[in-house]
Amino acid sequence: MEHGDPLYSLIPLPDFKAIFGIDDREAALSRYCLVTATFTIEQYCKRRLLRRKHTDYLTFTGEHIFTLREYPVRKVLSVHAATSEMAGRGDPLFETASLVNPEHYYCLPDEGQHEDIPFSLVLRPPLRLSHWERAIRVQYLAGYVPGNAPPDLASACLELVAWNMTRYRGRRIGMTGAVRGKGQDGEHLEPSMPENVRQLLEPYKRRTI
């Protein structure tokens, strides 16, 4: 806990301070760089990586398998579905009557697995669903617990935080420094993250078609 709230970081602050030998004089900078690095990584990967609660609204088109947006899925909290018996009532109503019994669905792969691949919700027939847009609401936990991320993802975060702290300490934000020769004298804009961090993050980027 930091200031009463969990730090939004893939790496716990005590772990980061211990690894890099940082004392309390740089605690504020460490917190800032940890949170910034985590958000930068999530933006680069186009997905949420820290464990949190998500809500997906899914459209039933005849198939009983639905890809969930965030992964890896830790636990499905609830599934509400508009069934054919609710037809004629307008938009689906997600109320007690629409709550699906856990016996009628499961995750693929099993919830709680650490595989970093998209997870799917599978509804078991003979559940009769209505062909509504956003007919199914799924609430679930997905992502990694701080301090328990895969080693390469944790390494990417550590390296990005250390890189950012060096920039802030040197007060050279946005610049790589002076480059001389070949007609390139002067200041130059720096990249948003080191290339080695990008390589570590490559397996975690959301693949889009």
Side-chain angles (χ1 to χ4, degrees):
M1 291 283 187
E2 294 298 323
H3 301 298
D5 294 314
L7 195 66
Y8 194 83
S9 170
L10 287 162
I11 307 297
L13 179 60
D15 291 358
F16 177 74
K17 291 169 65 177
I19 291 170
F20 287 95
I22 294 172
D23 59 34
D24 290 340
R25 290 174 296 179
E26 290 191 305
L29 178 59
S30 298
R31 285 194 295 269
Y32 176 78
C33 288
L34 281 165
V35 173
T36 300
T38 300
F39 277 117
T40 299
I41 287 171
E42 288 188 336
Q43 184 178 36
Y44 180 77
C45 293
K46 298 181 175 64
R47 50 183 286 214
R48 297 294 188 182
L49 291 162
L50 271 182
R51 188 176 71 172
R52 61 189 301 177
K53 180 179 176 180
H54 300 278
T55 301
D56 286 3
Y57 290 89
L58 309 169
T59 299
F60 177 61
T61 58
E63 298 293 332
H64 281 71
I65 182 168
F66 307 87
T67 300
L68 298 174
R69 179 170 176 78
E70 303 299 340
Y71 56 93
V73 173
R74 298 301 174 209
K75 183 176 180 60
V76 176
L77 302 175
S78 67
V79 177
H80 285 75
T83 63
S84 57
E85 287 80 2
M86 298 170 66
R89 294 174 55 180
D91 291 335
L93 300 175
F94 296 118
E95 55 190 24
T96 303
S98 66
L99 183 64
V100 178
N101 190 306
E103 294 180 354
H104 293 149
Y105 62 81
Y106 62 93
C107 255
L108 191 67
D110 291 339
E111 58 187 4
Q113 297 293 318
H114 263 67
E115 274 193 279
D116 199 82
I117 58 174
F119 279 53
S120 296
L121 176 76
V122 183
L123 298 179
R124 303 178 189 271
L127 191 65
R128 295 182 298 175
L129 301 176
S130 178
H131 287 249
W132 265 319
E133 289 187 6
R134 297 163 59 90
I136 300 163
R137 186 183 73 186
V138 186
Q139 293 184 318
Y140 59 101
L141 292 175
Y144 296 102
V145 176
N148 197 29
D152 48 355
L153 183 58
S155 294
C157 186
L158 282 172
E159 292 193 28
L160 185 55
V161 174
W163 185 69
N164 278 327
M165 288 194 68
T166 299
R167 293 161 61 226
Y168 279 104
R169 284 166 173 165
R171 300 179 181 178
R172 306 291 293 178
I173 306 304
M175 297 296 175
T176 58
V179 178
R180 300 187 180 280
K182 298 182 181 181
Q184 297 180 349
D185 292 0
E187 301 283 0
H188 293 264
L189 292 175
E190 67 183 352
S192 59
M193 66 173 63
E195 183 58 33
N196 60 313
V197 174
R198 294 177 188 271
Q199 292 175 1
L200 287 169
L201 294 176
E202 192 62 28
Y204 299 94
K205 289 180 67 176
R206 185 189 298 278
R207 306 300 172 188
T208 56
I209 300 176

